[in-house]
Amino acid sequence: MRAVEARPVAPVQPVVFAVPPGQLIWRRLKRNRSAMVGAITVGILATIAVFAPWVSPYDPIKNDLANSMVAPGSRFLLGTDNLGRDILSRVIFGSRISLTVGLVVQSTAVTIGTLLGLLAGYYRGPLDDGVSGLTNIMFAFPSFLFALAIMAVLGPSLYNVFIALGVVGWPTICRLVRGEALSLRSKDFVEAARAGGASDLRIMLRHILPNSLGPIIVAATLGVAGAILAEASLSFLGLGAQPPAPSWGSMLSRGRAYIWNAPWLTFFPGLAIFVAILGLNLLGDGLRDVLDPRLRH
Amino acid sequence: MEATRARAGCCGGIAEMLSYVIRRVIALLPVLLIVATVGFLLIHLTPGDPAAVMLGPDAAPDEVERARHEMGLDLPLPVQFLRWYGRVLRGDLGYSIFLDRPVIQAIVERLEPTMLLTGMSLAIALAIGVPTGVWAAVRHNTIVDQACMGFALAGVSIPNFWLGLNLILLFSIYLGLFPVAGYTPLAEGVLRSLQSLVLPAITLGSGASGLIARITRSSMLEVLGQDFVRTARAKGLRERLVIFHHALRNALIPTVTVIGLAVGALLAGAVVTETVFALPGVGRLVISSVLRRDYPLIQGALLFLAMIYVLVNLAVDILYVYLDPRVKYV
């Protein structure tokens, strides 16, 4: 009798993409004109923020009372403020504050939101009830007002802005990831992984998370814009960055008193906020078109 | 016959509708309970002694002690908690030592400009947002579409305090068309009152109008692609009738849901807008109480605004079910 030859199990064929998915997304993104405008704007802003000490013509903090309230011109391109500080230099350094706030706040929000959302959507049951309950409480308040209340408790400072905006930011991501996890957990490829003996942790991190990455990236990009606007608003209200820090929001707040005779004090910092948020929103919308085919229009 | 049946489905269920509303109102109670709890915890999460923080470093120890007593902070925590609930249920939101009056009175006194401002902003947002969205959808993928969506994106992206300052600069300082800042109460003339709110309302409404334009456009595009619209066109109806009578009515349903969200953003944005235009509303009250650390007032105002937000969203949900007969009363 011939020994039954163990039939070789057909090796699992890896899915072969004609083009790697990353490149495919990049190609589609390149064709999306508004996304590219957004990406370039954000890229320029980030470059300015990184190289701020080299590109800014003057010291953003040091007073120069001999040159106070100089109108925009050849020496001070965007003019100077009441303490003689160069507006352009302050706007340049302000990009550091804004982008740091945006990135730190959204990293916090994405980390907490993704973690809780994955656990809630994957395990369901009481854990999900708890997490969903918590997010629903957070959604009962308009989020900016909630951040305001947290700032009232913690006291005004840029550091506390990080905390307040992080606390109000995570539920959006959490709800999103929970929904994704909930729908993905019963898909065939997840069942297959489970049948193959993958642990819960592995399923969550290797199968569910990568497949919900698109919506997370979109929400995080738009979230950075939201965080920057919220920081600017809090600083405008006197609750965020404290003087002499060159935060765009607090520049506007201080410049308000001089709007009659020196409108450049408020115009340029505000323009910077507008451009930053517009760029991030364009990029976020473009990413949505590319990454989330369900929402095409 | 189809039409009669649909009508019966929509309006025959007044009792059904009523029971839905009652159930939703009951479901609101736990939310309000939680909102009240968060309001309570707010004071107790403050690092250090809230009374001492509130009165500042110069306060004498006996003043702090008196404030602690007035705020009930010298009682055991569970007692404070129960007292807080009891008071909230009676509509008593505490006493502001700084303003020397009950919190609820302080809020009510400031309510008129905030409500008018929010209402006007929403009206402006709808008046601009809906037509823009419809126009963009009808001219899908043309220059009109792109222009409308660019306009909407700018509305969503522009910081409203900056827009406000620019409007003041342009219309009040250079052109002298509107008052620079301040509010004329309704009692001193409706027209003048509304005039003092025109610039603030445009400022506050810009973000919501962008949001509404974008939602309206995408839902309009979806509806325009559906069979019943093709049928309407095929039977030779004029395009105007197809768009406004058939498509728009269906496309507005998602717009209605976004109103609830927009009101939340408007209430929050009112804080900033009232500061820019020096309007004596609830928003400015919130900011000054935050800067002074007037905890009872912060607590009360947060609770009050959250309640309005929750109630508006309830109203929107009910309206939604009423407008869309396909949605069951669950």
Side-chain angles (χ1 to χ4, degrees):
Chain A
M1 195 180 98
R2 207 153 54 99
V4 179
E5 221 173 305
R7 245 215 246 132
V9 180
V12 179
Q13 286 290 320
V15 185
V16 180
F17 293 97
V19 187
Q23 250 182 52
L24 193 72
I25 287 167
W26 176 239
R27 270 192 206 168
R28 280 205 231 136
L29 204 59
K30 264 198 301 194
R31 262 190 315 221
N32 188 319
R33 195 158 20 113
S34 59
M36 283 324 283
V37 173
I40 291 168
T41 311
V42 174
I44 292 175
L45 267 170
T47 314
I48 289 177
V50 170
F51 296 103
W54 291 276
V55 292
S56 74
Y58 297 94
D59 187 309
I61 308 266
K62 220 173 86 193
N63 298 354
D64 175 13
L65 293 172
N67 282 312
S68 76
M69 308 277 256
V70 177
S74 57
R75 217 178 126 215
F76 301 99
L77 280 180
L78 307 184
T80 64
D81 67 6
N82 53 318
L83 299 174
R85 297 172 298 194
D86 177 43
I87 301 280
L88 176 62
S89 304
R90 285 177 70 71
V91 167
I92 288 173
F93 272 89
S95 66
R96 289 189 153 188
I97 295 181
S98 286
L99 290 184
T100 312
V101 169
L103 289 177
V104 171
V105 165
Q106 272 310 297
S107 317
T108 318
V110 168
T111 311
I112 302 176
T114 306
L115 197 71
L116 290 179
L118 271 179
L119 292 172
Y122 185 76
Y123 285 115
R124 300 189 294 187
L127 187 72
D128 184 23
D129 294 341
V131 171
S132 298
L134 199 59
T135 49
N136 284 337
I137 294 172
M138 303 289 295
F139 281 119
F141 298 93
S143 62
F144 184 71
L145 287 180
F146 201 62
L148 215 58
I150 298 174
M151 291 307 294
V153 169
L154 298 176
S157 89
L158 190 59
Y159 179 70
N160 290 339
V161 170
F162 288 135
I163 299 177
L165 296 182
V167 168
V168 299
W170 68 267
T172 316
I173 305 278
C174 181
R175 184 178 269 192
L176 186 84
V177 176
R178 175 186 169 273
E180 291 287 320
L182 213 54
S183 82
L184 287 171
R185 72 187 299 282
S186 51
K187 287 274 159 64
D188 286 344
F189 70 93
V190 173
E191 288 295 342
R194 196 175 293 131
S199 67
D200 286 350
L201 189 69
R202 191 185 160 80
I203 293 176
M204 277 188 269
L205 294 182
R206 293 300 300 267
H207 298 282
I208 293 180
L209 184 59
N211 281 293
S212 16
L213 222 47
I216 296 179
I217 292 173
V218 173
T221 310
L222 298 174
V224 171
I228 289 178
L229 187 59
E231 182 273 327
S233 305
L234 288 173
S235 294
F236 177 75
L237 295 169
L239 292 167
Q242 298 299 308
S247 153
W248 293 338
S250 50
M251 289 172 75
L252 267 159
S253 158
R254 311 254 141 204
R256 263 178 76 200
Y258 308 99
I259 189 161
W260 287 82
N261 35 24
W264 57 88
L265 263 62
T266 48
F267 184 79
F268 294 112
L271 186 64
I273 303 172
F274 181 43
V275 169
I277 291 170
L278 198 60
L280 283 160
N281 280 340
L282 278 170
L283 182 61
D285 283 354
L287 283 169
R288 175 171 9 231
D289 288 345
V290 172
L291 295 174
D292 203 347
R294 286 168 301 178
L295 296 168
R296 283 262 169 83
H297 271 315
Chain B
M1 182 182 155
E2 197 64 47
T4 359
R5 203 184 296 157
R7 193 142 292 271
C10 149
C11 305
I14 288 177
E16 206 183 351
M17 177 94 187
L18 201 67
S19 96
Y20 171 75
V21 171
I22 291 170
R23 260 179 297 149
R24 282 301 309 262
V25 171
I26 292 172
L28 212 61
L29 294 178
V31 178
L32 294 179
L33 200 70
I34 288 162
V35 169
T37 310
V38 173
F40 174 78
L41 289 177
L42 195 67
I43 278 198
H44 294 273
L45 290 176
T46 307
D49 177 0
V53 172
M54 203 171 89
L55 296 181
D58 302 328
D62 61 312
E63 276 179 63
V64 174
E65 207 43 55
R66 207 175 60 224
R68 280 176 63 82
H69 182 71
E70 269 177 50
M71 290 163 75
L73 293 172
D74 48 354
L75 297 166
L77 207 61
V79 177
Q80 288 187 43
F81 201 42
L82 288 178
R83 268 183 27 151
W84 164 246
Y85 275 143
R87 291 210 330 256
V88 168
L89 283 179
R90 274 178 279 128
D92 173 7
L93 296 177
Y95 194 84
S96 164
I97 299 173
F98 284 99
L99 297 179
D100 194 24
R101 71 194 69 185
V103 167
I104 192 77
Q105 189 193 334
I107 294 174
V108 169
E109 283 170 4
R110 301 286 202 102
L111 209 52
E112 184 188 290
T114 304
M115 290 296 125
L116 274 180
L117 173 64
T118 316
M120 248 171 105
S121 304
L122 188 62
I124 289 178
L126 286 168
I128 297 176
V130 172
T132 309
V134 171
W135 201 24
V138 171
R139 299 262 183 277
H140 185 40
N141 276 340
T142 64
I143 187 105
V144 173
D145 184 16
Q146 282 167 10
C148 286
M149 284 306 99
F151 179 72
L153 188 70
V156 175
S157 306
I158 201 162
N160 59 23
F161 44 93
W162 186 58
L163 177 62
L165 288 174
N166 288 338
L167 290 177
I168 291 179
L169 203 59
L170 182 62
F171 289 102
S172 305
I173 297 180
Y174 294 152
L175 300 176
L177 290 177
F178 291 99
V180 171
Y183 172 67
T184 315
L186 273 181
E188 290 173 30
V190 177
L191 215 60
R192 280 181 51 213
S193 174
L194 293 183
Q195 198 197 7
S196 69
L197 286 175
V198 169
L199 293 185
I202 292 173
T203 302
L204 183 55
S206 67
S209 72
L211 188 70
I212 289 171
R214 293 170 69 153
I215 295 281
T216 307
R217 173 179 175 271
S218 73
S219 82
M220 191 75 184
L221 279 178
E222 207 182 305
V223 171
L224 284 176
Q226 279 176 12
D227 287 345
F228 75 91
V229 172
R230 199 180 336 150
T231 309
R233 279 183 178 144
K235 69 183 184 188
L237 288 185
R238 269 172 302 140
E239 186 66 15
R240 182 177 291 268
L241 201 64
V242 173
I243 286 165
F244 290 105
H245 191 74
H246 292 246
L248 186 58
R249 294 178 77 175
N250 288 289
L252 280 183
I253 291 170
T255 307
V256 169
T257 45
V258 93
I259 289 177
L261 217 74
V263 168
L266 292 178
L267 285 175
V271 175
V272 177
T273 308
E274 285 174 11
T275 306
V276 173
F277 288 93
L279 301 175
V282 179
R284 267 232 299 186
L285 189 69
V286 169
I287 280 304
S288 56
S289 68
V290 168
L291 290 171
R292 277 194 310 248
R293 301 206 157 194
D294 184 348
Y295 288 115
L297 192 51
I298 299 169
Q299 232 179 6
L302 183 71
L303 214 66
F304 186 82
L305 292 175
M307 251 177 238
I308 293 184
Y309 183 50
V310 169
L311 287 174
V312 167
N313 273 294
L314 173 70
V316 166
D317 278 1
I318 292 171
L319 190 65
Y320 183 73
V321 175
Y322 177 74
L323 286 179
D324 192 346
R326 289 167 302 182
V327 179
K328 295 228 176 68
Y329 301 104
V330 249

